[in-house]
Amino acid sequence: MTDQTTPDDLAPSPAFSAHANGTADLYAQADADFEGFWARQARERLTWAKDFDQTLDWSNAPFAKWFVGGQLNVAYNCVDRHVEAGNGDRVAIHFEAEGGDDFGSRALTYADLQREVSQAANTLESLGVTAGDRVAIYLPMIPEAIVAMLACARIGAPHSLVFGGFSSEALKARIEDAAAKVVITADGQYRRGKALPLKPAVDQALNGVESVEHVLVVRRTGGEVAWNERDLWWHETVETAADTHTPQPMDAEHPLFILYTSGTTGRPKGILHTTGGYLLQSAYTNSIVHDLHPETDVYWCTADIGWVTGHSYIVYGPLANGATQVVYEGTPDTPHNGRWWEIVEKYKVTILYTAPTAIRTCMKWGHEIPEKYDLSSIRVLGSVGEPINPEAWRWYREYIGAGTAPVVDTWWQTETGAIMISPLPGVTTLEPGSAQRPIPGVSAEILDDEGTPTHDPESVGYLVLTKPWPSMLRTVWGDDDRYRETYWSRFGPKYYFAGDGAKYDEKGNIWILGRVDDVMNVSGHRLSTAEIESALVLHDRVAEAAVVGATDETTGQAVVAFVILRQGASHEGDDNTAIVEELRAHVAKEIGPIAKPRTIMVVPELPKTRSGKIMRRLLRDLAEGREVGDATTLADSSVMNVIQAGLGN
Ligand code: WT7
């Protein structure tokens, strides 16, 4: 591979810049008149049923209101207006089933989408769902997931997606917290060529839950399913419903969705996003960062719909822009390791948005695999979810982007709703490994320990956002205090604290250095150490547990757990293989397979400070096989020796 990327290669080509949506003058425009800039974007990019009177109301900070007085319907903006503009025949979704064409691959045009979303909206209304009611969605990556989300948006019922890899316990907690009225799920899902059940997890989750009146079930795998009185088949309800529906305008600040994400405590936070600002910023960034040209591009975001990336960059951003996109049901290695590249070739994908962990996995499989396919259609590559190491960045550009496609490393969060820090592919001279600078309309700083902005190259600090932005979270569902406390108190009330460490380089590029709180990032998925610790101590053989994220070559970080077993549960010199396997399975059951620890070490003690706080830094040293750092603040300084002796280090 040619690793000799010269600075010239990293500047945008004049041909690319000439057609790029994102232009240099946007920065100046946004700086000159922040609110005016966003107001203009909102009026140009979205169709309002009623224009807004005020761009931003920040008087009740940190509770923002954007586009006050405005009204719009999200589903109308994502679907109907494209049909009205004469683009009903344009493919919105090329659905690629994991098993290929025999397993239901199909194309949905914008006109198809309009009919299906209308049918689903009519069905939800007939089930008594009205504006403000919550609908939980627990579905695999199938078109019905997108249809269900848009149907909710159409009638103003906030959806709460729960990733299909979460367990019934995790699903239950989320359904209960949002007090969902309806759950939309499927009989099963295809995963690595196998049909796995999904509905049993819902049945189990609903045990003792009062709020749920109906469960709408999509038939995906065709397996046997247990049936309850509240259950309804999607094909017997939605698919027989009237296929026209009039979208009702919603207030710009009407809740659009809740999405749960892990924080520093054991309880996930329901991040609340609203209508106008969220839709605007997801559409705006999809246009200027991914450089989406809806008439000519075929866009593909490989995220799952259950995460925020799927919300903003499969559903709302691209559809608001009238994109043609690929939606793929399966994994990159089913039935073979070239599956993704086969899909790129099949649909002539021009824009690909994926995660560093996937890129590193493909690197491991070898460049010979993508080289077997025609990837010449690709013209923009995006990365999201965790810092992308320069080596993976270069490999991505070289072997997927023919050495020329711009790679945009996009930093954002579930809370920010949309991309915040990223190069613009037609403007920015790229820097492999860096997310570079805030996009036009967004402002960030790096603060030192005292909370003072620092611009010194290489001095490591805390990443903060200095102004409200349209797609910002509005609160934590049902917990305004937690919202204020988590995001606006550390350096507040002026700064939004993102939880990430960052630094500038000599050229003024921002480098994101990872979480500074007890949150891990495993394969681009956010996991909380506290949540996994709580799951571990629920097991009757565990007395105490501490979890850290250890650097992992493929997944970025990996979950490593240290557990103290209850007395009598283990003896020195015992082989702990059985209990370790049992505990890994236990975590998968409590939270989901994604949270399963890579490594569990059975230890006699945990390193604690005098105030009883576990010193994770020392455990991280152990987990990463490093020499253990300064342990002088431990209550008992011999503990680390005892632990190391037990682990045979
Ligand atoms: C955390 C947010 C954004 C959607 C997927 C994850 C990390 C995300 C980057 C990036 C470095 C990144 C941060 C952030 N992160 N993108 N380009 N470079 N770090 O959403 O689960 O809300 O996690 O992911 O640590 O805080 P999320």
Side-chain angles (χ1 to χ4, degrees):
M1 124 184 208
T2 55
D3 211 320
Q4 322 310 352
T5 330
T6 63
D8 278 355
D9 290 326
L10 296 169
S13 76
F16 191 105
S17 301
H19 300 284
N21 293 331
T23 51
D25 57 310
L26 292 176
Y27 293 103
Q29 286 176 27
D31 283 348
D33 178 9
F34 170 71
E35 290 188 28
F37 174 79
W38 282 118
R40 195 163 56 251
Q41 292 296 335
R43 292 192 175 106
E44 280 172 10
R45 294 181 185 275
L46 302 182
T47 305
W48 296 81
K50 179 175 171 287
D51 191 21
F52 49 90
D53 319 304
Q54 190 186 356
T55 304
L56 169 66
D57 177 1
W58 191 231
S59 59
N60 188 28
F63 300 93
K65 287 197 175 112
W66 281 88
F67 311 121
V68 184
Q71 290 186 351
L72 73 168
N73 186 283
V74 167
Y76 173 82
N77 272 271
C78 290
V79 183
D80 303 60
R81 66 168 172 162
H82 306 311
V83 179
E84 287 172 14
N87 294 319
D89 290 339
R90 182 186 294 166
V91 172
I93 297 167
H94 285 294
F95 172 62
E96 177 71 20
E98 187 186 74
D101 294 349
D102 295 344
F103 285 78
S105 297
R106 62 181 171 125
L108 279 92
T109 64
Y110 276 94
D112 294 333
L113 206 50
Q114 186 181 37
R115 283 187 289 269
E116 295 190 21
V117 171
S118 297
Q119 289 182 309
N122 283 324
T123 303
L124 288 173
E125 281 181 343
S126 75
L127 297 179
V129 179
T130 57
D133 288 340
R134 276 81 58 206
V135 174
I137 301 179
Y138 187 62
L139 279 172
M141 284 287 289
I142 53 178
E144 286 84 350
I146 298 173
V147 169
M149 290 165 79
L150 291 168
C152 288
R154 198 174 185 92
I155 64 174
H159 54 67
S160 163
L161 270 91
V162 181
F163 174 56
F166 275 121
S167 68
S168 62
E169 311 282 337
L171 175 62
K172 185 190 186 87
R174 286 157 175 77
I175 291 173
E176 279 183 331
D177 188 78
K181 192 167 184 177
V182 167
V183 180
I184 306 180
T185 189
D187 55 351
Q189 61 179 331
Y190 289 108
R191 211 72 195 149
R192 299 209 152 83
K194 281 206 243 25
L196 304 177
L198 199 60
K199 184 165 179 290
V202 176
D203 293 340
Q204 215 180 324
L206 292 187
N207 213 333
V209 174
E210 309 257 291
S211 64
V212 175
E213 295 173 8
H214 292 286
V215 178
L216 204 47
V217 187
V218 176
R219 191 160 63 191
R220 178 61 189 130
T221 55
E224 281 280 306
V225 284
W227 210 248
N228 303 300
E229 214 172 311
R230 59 176 177 240
D231 300 342
L232 297 158
W233 281 113
W234 176 280
H235 60 269
E236 289 175 358
T237 51
V238 176
E239 289 176 19
T240 61
D243 65 4
T244 57
H245 177 273
T246 310
Q248 291 306 310
M250 300 291 150
D251 192 273
E253 282 298 334
H254 186 78
L256 179 62
F257 66 85
I258 304 167
L259 185 58
Y260 288 84
T261 189
S262 297
T264 52
T265 74
R267 209 161 48 88
K269 299 174 283 203
I271 302 301
L272 178 70
H273 284 288
T274 58
T275 296
Y278 171 82
L279 187 65
L280 171 65
Q281 199 174 329
S282 47
Y284 163 75
T285 47
N286 176 242
S287 172
I288 68 160
V289 176
H290 298 124
D291 194 42
L292 180 96
H293 291 73
E295 299 81 11
T296 47
D297 277 315
V298 179
Y299 166 89
W300 182 20
C301 167
T302 66
D304 190 282
I305 217 110
W307 306 104
V308 74
T309 309
H311 286 57
S312 305
Y313 297 110
I314 295 176
V315 184
Y316 295 112
L319 295 179
N321 290 333
T324 294
Q325 69 176 315
V326 172
V327 170
Y328 174 51
E329 180 183 32
T331 60
D333 53 358
T334 307
H336 57 81
N337 289 359
R339 186 70 168 114
W340 273 15
W341 318 121
E342 183 179 85
I343 294 171
V344 168
E345 182 180 282
K346 176 173 176 184
Y347 295 104
K348 299 192 169 50
V349 170
T350 59
I351 305 170
L352 180 69
Y353 192 35
T354 193
T357 184
I359 299 164
R360 288 193 298 267
T361 301
C362 292
M363 273 174 85
K364 229 171 32 189
W365 293 340
H367 56 80
E368 299 75 16
I369 293 175
E371 276 166 357
K372 284 189 230 154
Y373 300 89
D374 178 6
L375 308 183
S376 60
S377 53
I378 292 213
R379 57 174 207 90
V380 179
L381 295 171
S383 172
V384 60
E386 56 174 313
I388 177 164
N389 46 312
E391 197 198 352
W393 193 105
R394 292 206 166 85
W395 187 93
Y396 191 31
R397 179 179 170 103
E398 183 68 27
Y399 294 109
I400 309 305
T404 53
V407 175
V408 288
D409 173 11
T410 61
W411 177 88
W412 58 293
Q413 312 177 294
T414 305
E415 291 87 340
T416 70
I419 294 167
M420 302 293 282
I421 302 179
S422 169
L424 296 185
V427 178
T428 318
T429 296
L430 301 169
E431 183 68 42
S434 164
Q436 304 200 263
R437 65 182 285 195
I439 60 164
V442 169
S443 319
E445 287 279 7
I446 296 173
L447 305 184
D448 64 17
D449 282 325
E450 274 72 58
T452 314
T454 161
H455 291 260
D456 291 350
E458 304 306 327
S459 80
V460 173
Y462 304 95
L463 181 68
V464 295
L465 301 168
T466 61
K467 281 188 188 147
W469 62 99
S471 63
M472 67 194 290
L473 76 166
R474 297 305 194 258
T475 190
V476 171
W477 180 255
D479 200 344
D480 287 349
D481 287 342
R482 193 169 178 197
Y483 168 66
R484 215 184 276 113
E485 180 60 30
T486 310
Y487 304 104
W488 300 95
S489 67
R490 179 81 154 83
F491 300 107
K494 237 175 92 186
Y495 298 119
Y496 168 90
F497 175 47
D500 281 305
K503 64 173 189 185
Y504 286 104
D505 66 13
E506 302 281 348
K507 299 177 208 158
N509 292 307
I510 295 176
W511 290 72
I512 312 287
L513 302 171
R515 305 288 306 192
V516 294
D517 50 12
D518 293 332
V519 169
M520 292 169 291
N521 188 322
V522 179
S523 298
H525 300 322
R526 196 198 297 195
L527 294 170
S528 131
T529 54
E531 209 177 333
I532 300 177
E533 286 164 2
S534 319
L536 282 166
V537 297
L538 278 179
H539 193 281
D540 56 14
R541 289 184 66 192
V542 176
E544 231 185 307
V547 167
V548 297
T551 303
D552 183 279
E553 220 182 279
T554 308
T555 58
Q557 284 188 311
V559 179
V560 176
F562 294 82
V563 298
I564 304 178
L565 296 179
R566 280 189 193 285
Q567 236 158 30
S570 138
H571 301 285
E572 206 154 328
D574 260 9
D575 176 11
N576 289 314
T577 324
I579 181 71
V580 163
E581 272 322 301
E582 192 176 321
L583 291 177
R584 292 181 71 230
H586 169 77
V587 172
K589 183 184 158 285
E590 287 296 326
I591 304 172
I594 43 163
K596 204 191 246 191
R598 183 196 67 188
T599 314
I600 296 183
M601 306 196 198
V602 176
V603 292
E605 287 180 74
L606 289 170
K608 289 187 185 157
T609 61
R610 267 172 288 268
S611 61
K613 199 168 149 34
I614 293 171
M615 289 190 70
R616 285 168 213 284
R617 176 171 58 78
L618 299 177
L619 293 175
R620 223 171 286 129
D621 288 343
L622 277 184
E624 295 175 356
R626 262 195 311 272
E627 193 175 328
V628 173
D630 181 12
T632 49
T633 54
L634 282 181
D636 173 0
S637 61
S638 67
V639 163
M640 290 312 288
N641 297 335
V642 175
I643 296 175
Q644 279 177 293
L647 296 175
N649 290 355

